[in-house]
């Protein structure tokens, strides 16, 4: 195609496709719960270290 030429028409589709299914929210909820539990465990460990209840390290 030379500069300035009109490009050919692109293919077009008409009509509606099938409705797309909604993605599951389970993986995001499980991830959120896991991160929250891990954060609480780390926070509890740090507080226990500061207070002196834990002699792990």
């Amino acid at each position: 195609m030379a500069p300035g030429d009109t490009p050919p028409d692109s293919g077009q589709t008409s009509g509606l496709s099938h409705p797309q299914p909604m993605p599951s929210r389970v993986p995001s909820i499980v991830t959120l719960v896991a991160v929250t539990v891990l954060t609480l465990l780390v926070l509890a460990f740090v507080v226990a270290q500061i207070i002196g209840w834990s002699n792990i390290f």
Side-chain angles (χ1 to χ4, degrees):
M1 177 182 294
D5 285 349
T6 303
D9 286 340
S10 61
Q12 296 180 358
T13 58
S14 63
L16 299 175
S17 64
H18 295 289
Q20 298 296 316
M22 292 297 293
S24 174
R25 293 179 47 178
V26 172
S28 60
I29 292 172
V30 169
T31 303
L32 180 63
V33 169
V35 167
T36 303
V37 168
L38 183 63
T39 302
L40 290 175
L41 287 173
V42 168
L43 182 63
F45 177 74
V46 169
V47 169
Q49 286 290 321
I50 291 172
I51 294 175
W53 290 351
S54 176
N55 293 326
I56 295 176
F57 296 109

